[in-house]
Amino acid sequence: RKEVEQDPGPFNVPEGATVAFNCTYSNSASQSFFWYRQDCRKEPKLLMSVYSSGNEDGRFTAQLNRASQYISLLIRDSKLSDSATYLCVVNGYSSASKIIFGSGTRLSIRP
Amino acid sequence: DTGVSQNPRHKITKRGQNVTFRCDPISEHNRLYWYRQTLGQGPEFLTYFQNEAQLEKSRLLSDRFSAERPKGSFSTLEIQRTEQGDSAMYLCASSLSPRYNEQFFGPGTRLTVL
């Protein structure tokens, strides 16, 4: 089993729709969680951190479920510009080598 | 541009040759990371520096790979005796201690080994 697993997609949704995807992790000692966005042939860029209480940034909402060991990302009112690959990142404690990226979920927004 | 920069952006080499990549992090960031990414996968951690000290190396990093950050500023990643399996995107990222994951990535160096 991979340490961090994501549905590769692609998720193909119409503009304006709400879309959500999850990321599961295997190490219960994981300490911090993030979502990154990566456009085709570009570098990953930090989208948002994921806090235990859940957090929202505009149209994006991230949540953490420690009991079931998954994080989620919800995108409301999706825009064409949201088309990208979304990478979840899970970090162990005090160790850079424990930073694990998922393989990414590909999202495509159609007009 | 005050972001992370990497050179070259593309490198094509023949199997068995040595290659060296350079990364210039954001100036005030004391942490620097190297990752490798292949198609359809997320970045895989290779190694990490805090200032000039190389603190961690992945088991993925064979002895053909070496990285340096001599003055705690820019870093180089060298691959000796390249193999076709080394073909990948090599990404550099930097962060401001102590936040491991708020990393800022450079555009990467795409290596193709023929």
Side-chain angles (χ1 to χ4, degrees):
Chain A
R1 182 184 173 190
K2 287 185 178 179
E3 291 187 71
V4 176
E5 291 201 70
Q6 295 184 250
D7 182 340
F11 285 64
N12 189 324
V13 301
E15 197 173 5
T18 295
V19 61
F21 24 85
N22 291 342
C23 166
T24 59
Y25 60 95
S26 60
N27 185 353
S28 59
S30 299
Q31 296 289 314
S32 54
F33 310 86
F34 299 82
W35 284 102
Y36 277 71
R37 171 199 168 121
Q38 187 170 28
D39 293 296
C40 188
R41 296 190 170 271
K42 299 284 190 180
E43 71 272 22
K45 292 186 178 176
L46 180 65
L47 180 65
M48 60 196 304
S49 305
V50 186
Y51 302 127
S52 297
S53 55
N55 49 300
E56 191 173 306
D57 183 1
R59 299 180 294 106
F60 297 84
T61 300
Q63 292 195 312
L64 167 64
N65 185 318
R66 284 193 183 273
S68 300
Q69 294 183 204
Y70 73 86
I71 63 173
S72 63
L73 180 67
L74 178 81
I75 306 174
R76 289 181 300 277
D77 187 25
S78 52
K79 312 291 185 191
L80 295 176
S81 58
D82 294 334
S83 296
T85 295
Y86 291 84
L87 301 163
C88 74
V89 182
V90 175
N91 185 25
Y93 181 67
S94 295
S95 171
S97 62
K98 297 298 184 189
I99 300 171
I100 309 294
F101 280 76
S103 297
T105 296
R106 198 151 53 93
L107 175 64
S108 178
I109 307 298
R110 61 180 189 270
Chain B
D1 186 352
T2 56
V4 178
S5 62
Q6 291 186 247
N7 288 289
R9 296 290 306 276
H10 303 274
K11 179 70 177 179
I12 300 173
T13 191
K14 292 182 180 178
R15 191 174 48 187
Q17 298 294 304
N18 299 345
V19 294
T20 300
F21 310 141
R22 175 176 169 132
C23 170
D24 288 85
I26 293 171
S27 57
E28 63 268 26
H29 285 185
N30 56 6
R31 292 187 172 183
L32 186 148
Y33 311 78
W34 285 99
Y35 292 87
R36 179 172 64 192
Q37 186 175 25
T38 53
L39 195 63
Q41 300 299 314
E44 293 176 297
F45 171 82
L46 293 178
T47 190
Y48 146 67
F49 291 84
Q50 178 152 322
N51 300 313
E52 66 276 9
Q54 187 174 18
L55 295 186
E56 290 186 61
K57 290 196 293 187
S58 166
R59 284 169 292 179
L60 293 174
L61 212 65
S62 79
D63 56 8
R64 295 185 298 106
F65 288 69
S66 61
E68 294 182 342
R69 195 181 182 198
K71 295 182 180 179
S73 55
F74 73 91
S75 175
T76 57
L77 177 69
E78 181 183 17
I79 309 174
Q80 296 182 327
R81 305 181 304 281
T82 52
E83 301 172 356
Q84 286 185 322
D86 296 332
S87 296
M89 176 73 85
Y90 289 84
L91 292 161
C92 173
S94 69
S95 71
L96 187 61
S97 177
R99 303 194 71 94
Y100 280 111
N101 285 106
E102 291 187 358
Q103 297 179 35
F104 296 84
F105 282 82
T109 295
R110 184 171 296 281
L111 172 65
T112 302
V113 182
L114 302 176

